[in-house]
């Protein structure tokens, strides 16, 4: 299921990853793989107040 989600939205994940990489480089951080970005998005969706 995760593989399907990431690949179904590959273009969006590419844009998100590229933007995050720019911020990480500016802040001396590390880039994140798409799976980790997916984890973060899932966590944010699950913890959002309803």
């Amino acid at each position: 299921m995760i593989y399907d989600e990431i690949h179904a939205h590959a273009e969006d994940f590419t844009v998100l990853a590229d933007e995050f990489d720019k911020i990480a480089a500016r802040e001396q951080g590390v880039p994140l793989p798409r799976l980790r970005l997916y984890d973060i998005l899932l966590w944010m969706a699950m913890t959002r107040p309803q």
Side-chain angles (χ1 to χ4, degrees):
M1 182 174 108
I2 294 171
Y3 177 88
D4 293 340
E5 286 284 327
I6 290 174
H7 284 84
H9 304 284
E11 186 175 322
D12 295 326
F13 272 100
T14 298
V15 171
L16 180 62
D18 289 348
E19 290 301 314
F20 186 87
D21 289 349
K22 289 177 191 175
I23 294 168
R26 187 175 62 235
E27 302 293 327
Q28 287 87 34
V30 296
L32 296 177
R34 290 181 180 169
L35 183 57
R36 184 63 183 130
L37 290 172
Y38 180 85
D39 288 342
I40 292 168
L41 292 173
L42 184 62
W43 172 79
M44 289 173 62
M46 298 303 292
T47 60
R48 185 178 337 168
Q50 296 190 14

